[in-house]
Amino acid sequence: PSGATRPSRPTAGQGVHLESARKAIRSPVPKGKRMKPPNRDFKDLAKGIGCFLKSATSIDAISQYVKEYIGDLHPAVKDRISVVYMGRSIEDNHSEAVLPESPNIPAPYLLSVTRLAKVKGVDLLVMAFAEVLAQGYDVHLVLCGPDLSDGRLFPFIRELGIEKRVHWTGHLPHSQAMFLMHNCLFFVSPSRAE
């Protein structure tokens, strides 16, 4: 955050449990529910960030959900949190961008650019896409982003029988993702909580 003073380092009692946090981030969120930390280690991690937040003159959150979540955990900083949505103009000219060698992405296609993680709702997108195909639409789905599904997403796609219509590019540089965005039928962001 701009204008933030440098906080002191956490003491031994404020240690960060990264593996617990990683597991918490990947856990499912029931439909219609706000995401809650599923275990004490994750909540301790979130509270441990408080020492950094308290010393900040302003805090930028990437969504209203994140603003409310931080405000609920750290009421003393609620009035310093602003929502600043991430994004870039898609007006930039990316028509000359070149895709990586032989991605073989047929048109028309739907595009999702995100981590392939349960919290990002990619499994929901894949199920909805299977329904679209079942209705007879001649379209493809392109997934762009790193696979953090612990190897579960692609077997699920095969189980649905839609593997010939789903294309995964892996992580791409911004210009290549923008090229895909400029040429897609539409962009899909199925995240369970943002």
Side-chain angles (χ1 to χ4, degrees), residues 97-107 109 140-144 164 166-170 172 176 179-180:
V98 178
L99 284 172
E101 289 184 33
S102 67
N104 297 327
I105 298 171
Y109 61 89
H140 295 263
L141 174 63
V142 176
L143 303 173
C144 177
K164 291 183 180 175
V166 178
H167 310 274
W168 178 49
T169 66
L172 292 177
Q176 292 175 355
F179 177 87
L180 288 173

Coordinates of all heavy atoms in Angstrom, one line a residue, residues 97-107 109 140-144 164 166-170 172 176 179-180:
A97 N 0.1 -10.2 -31.6 CA 0.7 -11.2 -30.6 C 0.6 -12.6 -31.3 O -0.2 -12.9 -32.0 CB -0.2 -11.2 -29.3
V98 N 1.6 -13.3 -30.9 CA 1.8 -14.7 -31.5 C 1.5 -15.7 -30.4 O 2.1 -15.5 -29.3 CB 3.2 -14.8 -32.1 CG1 3.3 -16.2 -32.7 CG2 3.4 -13.8 -33.2
L99 N 0.7 -16.6 -30.6 CA 0.5 -17.7 -29.7 C 1.6 -18.6 -29.6 O 2.4 -18.7 -30.6 CB -0.8 -18.5 -30.0 CG -2.1 -17.7 -29.7 CD1 -3.3 -18.5 -30.3 CD2 -2.3 -17.5 -28.2
P100 N 1.8 -19.4 -28.5 CA 2.9 -20.4 -28.4 C 2.7 -21.4 -29.6 O 1.6 -21.5 -30.1 CB 2.6 -21.0 -27.1 CG 1.4 -20.5 -26.5 CD 0.9 -19.4 -27.4
E101 N 3.8 -22.1 -29.8 CA 3.7 -23.0 -30.9 C 2.6 -24.0 -30.8 O 2.4 -24.6 -29.7 CB 5.1 -23.8 -31.0 CG 6.2 -22.9 -31.5 CD 7.5 -23.6 -31.6 OE1 7.4 -24.8 -32.0 OE2 8.5 -23.0 -31.4
S102 N 1.9 -24.2 -31.9 CA 0.8 -25.2 -32.1 C -0.2 -25.4 -30.9 O -0.3 -26.5 -30.4 CB 1.4 -26.6 -32.4 OG 2.1 -27.1 -31.4
P103 N -0.8 -24.3 -30.5 CA -1.9 -24.5 -29.5 C -3.1 -25.1 -30.1 O -3.9 -25.7 -29.4 CB -2.2 -23.1 -28.9 CG -1.8 -22.2 -30.0 CD -0.7 -22.9 -30.8
N104 N -3.3 -25.0 -31.5 CA -4.4 -25.5 -32.2 C -5.7 -25.3 -31.5 O -6.4 -26.2 -31.1 CB -4.2 -27.0 -32.4 CG -3.0 -27.3 -33.2 OD1 -2.6 -26.6 -34.1 ND2 -2.3 -28.4 -33.0
I105 N -6.0 -24.0 -31.4 CA -7.3 -23.6 -30.8 C -8.3 -23.3 -31.9 O -8.2 -22.3 -32.5 CB -7.1 -22.4 -29.8 CG1 -6.1 -22.8 -28.7 CG2 -8.4 -21.9 -29.3 CD1 -5.7 -21.7 -27.8
P106 N -9.3 -24.1 -32.0 CA -10.3 -23.9 -33.1 C -11.3 -22.9 -32.6 O -11.6 -22.8 -31.4 CB -10.9 -25.3 -33.3 CG -10.6 -26.1 -32.1 CD -9.4 -25.4 -31.4
A107 N -11.8 -22.1 -33.6 CA -12.9 -21.2 -33.3 C -14.2 -21.8 -33.6 O -14.3 -22.7 -34.5 CB -12.6 -19.9 -34.1
Y109 N -14.6 -20.1 -29.7 CA -14.3 -20.7 -28.4 C -14.7 -19.7 -27.3 O -14.7 -18.5 -27.5 CB -12.8 -21.0 -28.3 CG -11.8 -19.9 -28.4 CD1 -11.4 -19.1 -27.3 CD2 -11.3 -19.6 -29.7 CE1 -10.6 -18.1 -27.5 CE2 -10.4 -18.5 -29.9 CZ -10.1 -17.8 -28.8 OH -9.2 -16.7 -28.9
H140 N -15.9 -24.5 -28.5 CA -14.8 -25.0 -27.8 C -14.6 -24.2 -26.5 O -15.0 -23.1 -26.4 CB -13.5 -25.1 -28.6 CG -13.5 -26.0 -29.8 ND1 -13.0 -27.2 -29.7 CD2 -14.1 -25.8 -31.0 CE1 -13.2 -27.8 -30.9 NE2 -13.9 -27.0 -31.7
L141 N -13.9 -24.7 -25.5 CA -13.5 -24.0 -24.3 C -12.0 -24.0 -24.2 O -11.3 -25.0 -24.3 CB -14.1 -24.8 -23.1 CG -13.7 -24.2 -21.7 CD1 -14.2 -22.8 -21.5 CD2 -14.3 -25.1 -20.6
V142 N -11.5 -22.8 -24.0 CA -10.0 -22.6 -23.8 C -9.8 -22.2 -22.3 O -10.4 -21.2 -21.8 CB -9.4 -21.6 -24.7 CG1 -8.0 -21.4 -24.4 CG2 -9.6 -22.0 -26.2
L143 N -9.0 -23.0 -21.6 CA -8.6 -22.7 -20.2 C -7.1 -22.2 -20.3 O -6.3 -22.9 -20.7 CB -8.7 -24.0 -19.4 CG -10.1 -24.6 -19.3 CD1 -10.0 -25.9 -18.5 CD2 -11.1 -23.7 -18.7
C144 N -6.9 -21.1 -19.7 CA -5.6 -20.4 -19.8 C -5.2 -20.2 -18.3 O -5.8 -19.4 -17.6 CB -5.7 -19.2 -20.6 SG -4.1 -18.2 -20.6
K164 N -12.1 -33.5 -26.2 CA -11.8 -33.0 -27.5 C -12.2 -31.5 -27.7 O -11.8 -30.9 -28.7 CB -12.3 -33.9 -28.6 CG -11.7 -35.2 -28.6 CD -12.2 -36.1 -29.7 CE -11.5 -37.5 -29.6 NZ -12.0 -38.4 -30.6
V166 N -12.1 -29.2 -25.0 CA -11.5 -28.4 -24.0 C -10.0 -28.3 -24.2 O -9.4 -29.3 -24.4 CB -11.8 -28.9 -22.6 CG1 -11.1 -28.1 -21.5 CG2 -13.3 -29.0 -22.3
H167 N -9.5 -27.1 -24.3 CA -8.1 -26.9 -24.6 C -7.4 -26.1 -23.5 O -7.9 -25.1 -23.1 CB -8.0 -26.1 -26.0 CG -8.8 -26.7 -27.0 ND1 -8.3 -27.7 -27.8 CD2 -10.1 -26.5 -27.4 CE1 -9.3 -28.1 -28.7 NE2 -10.3 -27.3 -28.5
W168 N -6.3 -26.6 -23.0 CA -5.6 -26.0 -22.0 C -4.3 -25.4 -22.5 O -3.4 -26.1 -23.0 CB -5.3 -26.9 -20.8 CG -4.5 -26.4 -19.7 CD1 -4.8 -25.2 -19.0 CD2 -3.4 -27.0 -19.0 NE1 -3.8 -25.0 -18.0 CE2 -3.0 -26.1 -18.0 CE3 -2.7 -28.2 -19.3 CZ2 -1.9 -26.4 -17.2 CZ3 -1.6 -28.4 -18.4 CH2 -1.2 -27.6 -17.4
T169 N -4.0 -24.1 -22.3 CA -2.8 -23.5 -22.8 C -1.7 -23.4 -21.7 O -0.6 -23.2 -22.0 CB -3.1 -22.0 -23.2 OG1 -3.4 -21.3 -22.1 CG2 -4.1 -22.0 -24.3
G170 N -2.1 -23.6 -20.4 CA -1.1 -23.4 -19.4 C -1.0 -21.9 -19.1 O -1.9 -21.1 -19.7
L172 N 0.1 -18.2 -19.8 CA 0.6 -17.5 -21.0 C 1.0 -16.1 -20.6 O 0.4 -15.5 -19.6 CB -0.5 -17.4 -22.0 CG -0.9 -18.7 -22.7 CD1 -2.1 -18.4 -23.7 CD2 0.2 -19.3 -23.5
Q176 N -0.3 -12.7 -25.0 CA -0.9 -13.9 -25.6 C -2.3 -14.1 -25.0 O -3.2 -14.5 -25.8 CB 0.0 -15.1 -25.4 CG 1.3 -14.9 -26.2 CD 2.2 -16.0 -26.0 OE1 2.0 -16.9 -25.2 NE2 3.3 -16.0 -26.7
F179 N -4.5 -11.7 -26.7 CA -4.8 -12.2 -28.1 C -6.0 -13.1 -28.1 O -6.9 -13.0 -28.9 CB -3.6 -12.8 -28.7 CG -3.8 -13.4 -30.1 CD1 -3.7 -12.6 -31.2 CD2 -4.2 -14.7 -30.3 CE1 -3.9 -13.1 -32.5 CE2 -4.4 -15.2 -31.5 CZ -4.2 -14.4 -32.6
L180 N -5.9 -14.1 -27.2 CA -7.0 -15.1 -27.0 C -8.3 -14.3 -26.6 O -9.4 -14.7 -27.2 CB -6.7 -16.1 -26.0 CG -5.6 -17.1 -26.3 CD1 -5.3 -18.0 -25.1 CD2 -6.1 -18.0 -27.5

